[in-house]
Amino acid sequence: MDVLGHPTALWCVAGPADRAIYAGEALGNWIWAICWPAEAGCLIALTELSLRDLRDNDQDLDLPYGAFSPRLTG
């Protein structure tokens, strides 16, 4: 995974068997990736992801948003 041009490691985290959970740290911020179903977790390892910090003011993005997934309980 790449965060703002810097390679970033993610580690597998134990969780419910129906999902794959990864966590890591980049530039002082925690990154969480939760994949459902669990088999989709291989996409984290097989694809080259590049993340951006959407809190930066120089973003010109039109992103969809909506209700949180019912799979994320807490």
Side-chain angles (χ1 to χ4, degrees):
M1 175 175 290
D2 177 76
V3 177
L4 295 174
H6 301 284
T8 303
L10 290 178
W11 293 272
C12 187
V13 177
D18 68 337
R19 66 198 78 182
I21 304 171
Y22 298 91
E25 183 273 332
L27 304 171
N29 295 298
W30 283 101
I31 298 170
W32 290 86
I34 302 171
C35 303
W36 178 88
E39 293 79 15
C42 69
L43 295 175
I44 298 293
L46 296 177
T47 59
E48 193 159 321
L49 299 176
S50 181
L51 301 180
R52 298 170 63 170
D53 191 343
L54 296 179
R55 296 174 298 179
D56 292 342
N57 291 331
D58 63 346
Q59 307 291 326
D60 186 25
L61 301 172
D62 183 19
L63 298 174
Y65 62 91
F68 288 115
S69 170
R71 301 210 177 273
L72 299 175
T73 60

